[in-house]
């Protein structure tokens, strides 16, 4: 491999450039810097998929998917339609979803229609988005970086409808007459 050096003074400006050997670079497939670019998978507008889709990459849907989705990143275009559950790291919805959505980051654009529960860490909704369902926030266990679990809140204990009467005895302070009501007790009205 060669590196390019350029002239630094006006006298050397007319001199041709020299190529000098530089450090070798590894371009083999094992090198982490020589990774293939990730390309999103597209389900086009006039396509229909019957069944689930599973993968780690990015999926863009402009067509119809009837089945569950489990992908890394999901984008549902304006003409996209999903009937089934969605699990992904990130979800952007411009089209229609009928089913549950579970993702760290969920964004509902103004044209989105979502009928189902959304479990998320972050949820953003633009004006005009339709959302019918529950918004459930992830709660990660302390010190854990594993997959998040939806927060489950147990209902607060409801008070018993019938409260049993309690009895207490009050003793008068020493030196008080036995007929006198104890201090702090209500005096009878005559």
């Amino acid at each position: 491999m060669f590196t390019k050096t350029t002239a630094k003074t006006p006298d050397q400006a007319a001199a041709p450039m020299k190529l000098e050997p530089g450090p070798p670079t590894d371009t083999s497939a094992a090198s982490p810097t020589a990774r293939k670019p990730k390309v999103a998978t597209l389900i086009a507008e006039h396509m229909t998929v019957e069944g689930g889709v599973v993968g780690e990459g990015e999926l863009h849907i402009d067509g119809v998917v009837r089945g569950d989705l489990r992908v890394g990143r999901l984008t549902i275009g304006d003409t996209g339609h999903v009937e089934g559950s969605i699990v992904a790291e990130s979800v952007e919805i411009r089209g229609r979803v009928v089913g549950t959505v579970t993702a760290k980051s969920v964004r509902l654009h103004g044209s989105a229609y979502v009928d189902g529960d959304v479990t998320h860490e972050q949820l953003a909704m633009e004006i005009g988005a339709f959302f019918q369902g529950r918004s459930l926030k992830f709660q990660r266990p302390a010190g854990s970086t594993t997959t998040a679990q939806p927060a489950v809140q147990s209902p607060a204990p409801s008070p018993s409808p019938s409260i049993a009467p309690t009895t207490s005895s009050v003793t008068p302070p020493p030196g008080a007459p036995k007929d006198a009501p104890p201090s702090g007790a209500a005096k009878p009205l005559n």
Side-chain angles (χ1 to χ4, degrees):
M1 193 75 190
F2 293 96
T3 58
K4 186 174 21 170
T5 52
T6 59
K8 303 226 187 232
T9 63
D11 295 337
Q12 297 173 336
M17 292 190 310
K18 296 189 308 182
L19 294 177
E20 298 174 358
T25 56
D26 182 17
T27 58
S28 67
S31 172
T33 58
R35 292 184 185 162
K36 293 180 182 178
K38 292 185 180 180
V39 178
T41 301
L42 172 66
I43 297 176
E45 186 172 352
H46 300 290
M47 298 294 294
T48 298
V49 175
E50 297 282 339
V53 177
V54 177
E56 294 179 8
E58 184 173 346
L59 177 63
H60 185 99
I61 299 174
D62 284 333
V64 177
V65 175
R66 291 188 185 102
D68 297 339
L69 301 171
R70 182 178 290 270
V71 295
R73 179 176 166 82
L74 176 65
T75 303
I76 300 173
D78 291 327
T79 59
H81 182 95
V82 174
E83 294 176 13
S85 67
I86 296 170
V87 177
E89 287 289 316
S90 171
V91 176
E92 285 197 30
I93 301 172
R94 288 182 175 85
R96 184 178 184 90
V97 174
V98 178
T100 61
V101 177
T102 303
K104 286 183 180 180
S105 171
V106 178
R107 181 175 184 94
L108 305 180
H109 291 268
S111 58
Y113 177 96
V114 176
D115 186 0
D117 295 346
V118 176
T119 304
H120 58 86
E121 280 186 14
Q122 296 177 343
L123 174 63
M125 287 180 57
E126 291 181 359
I127 294 174
F130 176 85
F131 172 48
Q132 179 173 314
R134 295 182 301 167
S135 168
L136 305 167
K137 183 127 173 114
F138 277 139
Q139 276 192 342
R140 292 184 181 270
S144 173
T145 58
T146 59
T147 57
Q149 299 296 322
V152 179
Q153 298 177 352
S154 60
S158 59
S160 168
S162 63
I163 299 176
T166 59
T167 58
S168 64
S169 62
V170 179
T171 55
K178 292 185 180 186
D179 303 11
S183 62
K187 296 180 183 178
L189 296 173
N190 291 339

